[in-house]
Amino acid sequence: MKKQTYVVHDHHDERHQGAATFPIYQNSLFTFANYDDFDAASSHFFDHFVYSRGNNPTVQQLEKRLAGLEGGEEARCFASGMAAISAAVMSVVKQGDHIVCVDQAYGPARVMMGTYLQKFGVACSFVDGTSIDAVAAAIRPNTSLLYLESPTSLVFCLQDLEACVELARQAGATTIIDNTWATPFFQNPLKYGVDLVVHSISKYIGGHSDITGGAIVGSHEKLERLNQNEFMLIGGIMTPHTATLVSRGLRTLPLRLERHHKNGVKIAEFLQTLPFVRKVNHPGLSSHPQHELAVRQMEGFSSLFSFETDIPLHEMRTWAGNLEYFRIGVSWGGYESLVTVHNLKQEIDSIAATSQSIVLVRLYIGLEDLEDLILDIRHAFERIGVTIVD
Ligand SMILES: Cc1ncc(COP(=O)(O)O)c(C=O)c1O
């Protein structure tokens, strides 16, 4: 079965009167008619429905589907992407360990690994993930985790997943990747040997800007340990209601991604032609320094990318406010186009070390009409006095 069929092919379970969509099990606990059944279920807690902090049928439906899409044995859903990332990282490291993390990974994930975990005696080094030599050089005898995010979500750099996995294996370290940008449709890191895949479901998978959620996908062995500990003890679970909304979003994910891919590339190409745009950071463009790796590792490109410009920061902030269809806002992956303006020097350690000041605009291309979006970008430039000559 192809992935497109897999996401829309719901089982019509006769227990639910053949209901076309899976019901919402809006209950915290499950009851038993006798103590033998209760004991049997409780002793194999994760194979049964006992309490919704462990298993809930509506959430489990989604977990099975996500595992299938990523090519993993199991998945667990969480209340947010950060809950999933934190649980995944904590399932791997212990006191005295060292993490190697790519230096452009999602900010709060970097803070969690680089600062928060210090109080448990875990150290972290940040490396330029585009250089496999830099990754190799950062690995220490006590490195237990290599944390990847490919592509990263501000400057859209990739890591060579096969090469990273090889290095981690030699060092006896586990690999985790944040696969939010590519989604399970455009990249399946488990097939390159990555151990755990994490997602912020709040983005493309949810797809409607109406939920926050996260997931971890991996082998039965890795998820079994995590179930007993970080999942069950920290308890940052996804609610059944959220799982229903996510399952609904998932059905149209391939369809939405088709448009995101197409319109994202078209707008990136358009921006590339503008004389005041220094650089467009989109792995789908042949001008991207890692385009060849991107095509090898991924089957498509989503629609979050950035461009760097010579126009000063304060003018670009006015430009962003002039846009009609792009709203100013964090996050991405919903139906609506978004924009944020950044001073890269303040956000990326390796750039902060240089004297360059780089104005970077991150665009998220939603589901609006392509021509409307391009016109919107042009008009917003005209309103700050920048004319685009065809
Ligand atoms: C790449 C990436 N990973 C993880 C997260 C965290 O996800 P959440 O906001 O669902 O906790 C985000 C959120 O913006 C993100 O951009």
Side-chain angles (χ1 to χ4, degrees):
M1 198 193 293
K2 296 268 198 302
K3 284 181 182 174
Q4 167 76 69
T5 308
Y6 183 73
V7 289
V8 296
H9 190 73
D10 279 12
H11 292 288
H12 296 267
D13 187 337
E14 293 312 321
R15 280 184 308 154
H16 302 124
Q17 322 298 330
T21 59
F22 198 87
I24 306 175
Y25 277 79
Q26 191 62 50
N27 53 300
S28 55
L29 75 150
F30 300 81
T31 56
F32 297 83
N34 60 63
Y35 244 89
D36 287 344
D37 289 352
F38 180 52
D39 287 342
S42 303
S43 60
H44 293 93
F45 192 81
F46 290 104
D47 298 329
H48 295 273
F49 298 115
V50 179
Y51 189 53
S52 284
R53 200 176 84 243
N55 275 332
N56 173 283
T58 314
V59 181
Q60 192 183 69
Q61 258 285 102
L62 174 64
E63 290 172 338
K64 287 192 168 150
R65 204 146 280 209
L66 291 174
L69 283 176
E70 274 293 12
E73 287 174 352
E74 277 182 34
R76 285 305 346 208
C77 284
F78 292 81
S80 69
M82 269 314 292
I85 291 169
S86 302
V89 168
M90 287 195 268
S91 77
V92 175
V93 298
K94 61 177 188 328
Q95 187 181 20
D97 280 1
H98 172 249
I99 301 172
V100 175
C101 174
V102 296
D103 67 357
Q104 292 165 14
Y106 178 59
R110 277 186 282 140
V111 173
M112 199 271 291
M113 285 178 268
T115 310
Y116 179 77
L117 286 182
Q118 281 177 9
K119 77 174 183 176
F120 300 109
V122 176
C124 182
S125 307
F126 294 99
V127 289
D128 172 2
T130 63
S131 159
I132 199 68
D133 292 340
V135 177
I139 290 178
R140 302 178 188 165
N142 60 339
T143 301
S144 61
L145 171 63
L146 175 57
Y147 186 92
L148 310 170
E149 182 182 318
S150 184
T152 53
S153 55
L154 198 57
V155 284
F156 305 91
C157 290
L158 281 72
Q159 296 103 58
D160 182 328
L161 301 188
E162 266 179 325
C164 285
V165 165
E166 179 63 28
L167 277 181
R169 283 194 174 154
Q170 281 167 12
T174 300
T175 38
I176 297 179
I177 187 169
D178 183 333
N179 197 32
T180 303
W181 188 89
T183 84
F185 273 86
F186 288 158
Q187 180 167 264
N188 291 130
L190 296 174
K191 79 175 181 208
Y192 299 109
V194 171
D195 294 300
L196 293 173
V197 174
V198 291
H199 282 282
S200 167
I201 290 182
S202 326
K203 310 292 187 277
Y204 287 107
I205 295 178
H208 294 75
S209 304
D210 54 4
I211 58 102
T212 60
I216 304 177
V217 190
S219 67
H220 174 68
E221 186 215 332
K222 291 236 164 2
L223 271 282
E224 196 177 29
R225 263 193 294 140
L226 192 141
N227 263 338
Q228 302 287 351
N229 297 302
E230 293 73 24
F231 182 77
M232 193 60 194
L233 299 183
I234 299 175
I237 60 159
M238 176 178 281
T239 67
H241 206 90
T242 298
T244 293
L245 289 173
V246 176
S247 294
R248 182 165 69 171
L250 202 54
R251 293 188 188 106
T252 56
L253 179 61
L255 212 60
R256 287 184 280 115
L257 284 174
E258 244 176 71
R259 175 177 282 213
H260 287 307
H261 169 109
K262 194 166 115 259
N263 288 359
V265 171
K266 287 257 162 63
I267 293 179
E269 284 170 349
F270 160 70
L271 289 164
Q272 207 170 220
T273 64
L274 305 179
F276 47 86
V277 169
R278 256 195 232 169
K279 189 176 166 202
V280 181
N281 302 311
H282 187 307
L285 296 182
S286 54
S287 58
H288 189 283
Q290 294 173 295
H291 180 64
E292 204 183 299
L293 176 64
V295 172
R296 181 150 42 91
Q297 263 175 200
M298 293 191 282
E299 287 164 43
F301 305 106
S302 70
S303 60
L304 181 79
F305 64 93
S306 60
F307 67 90
E308 296 167 23
T309 175
D310 298 326
I311 300 173
L313 187 73
H314 69 278
E315 284 185 44
M316 287 313 290
R317 286 164 66 103
T318 307
W319 171 83
N322 289 341
L323 289 162
E324 194 178 339
Y325 302 126
F326 290 83
R327 307 290 305 272
I328 300 168
V330 295
S331 199
W332 36 281
Y335 54 88
E336 77 288 24
S337 290
L338 295 164
V339 61
T340 47
V341 181
H342 306 257
N343 176 359
L344 258 198
K345 207 169 147 54
Q346 283 170 357
E347 302 194 30
I348 306 251
D349 299 345
S350 50
I351 291 169
T354 71
S355 59
Q356 272 178 306
S357 174
I358 300 176
V359 177
L360 177 137
V361 177
R362 190 175 80 167
L363 287 180
Y364 168 64
I365 311 303
L367 295 171
E368 300 90 342
D369 178 78
L370 176 65
E371 276 180 33
D372 282 345
L373 293 180
I374 291 183
L375 268 181
D376 195 20
I377 292 172
R378 295 177 82 109
H379 289 157
F381 276 122
E382 278 163 21
R383 277 182 230 136
I384 59 164
V386 177
T387 312
I388 296 169
V389 187
D390 288 314

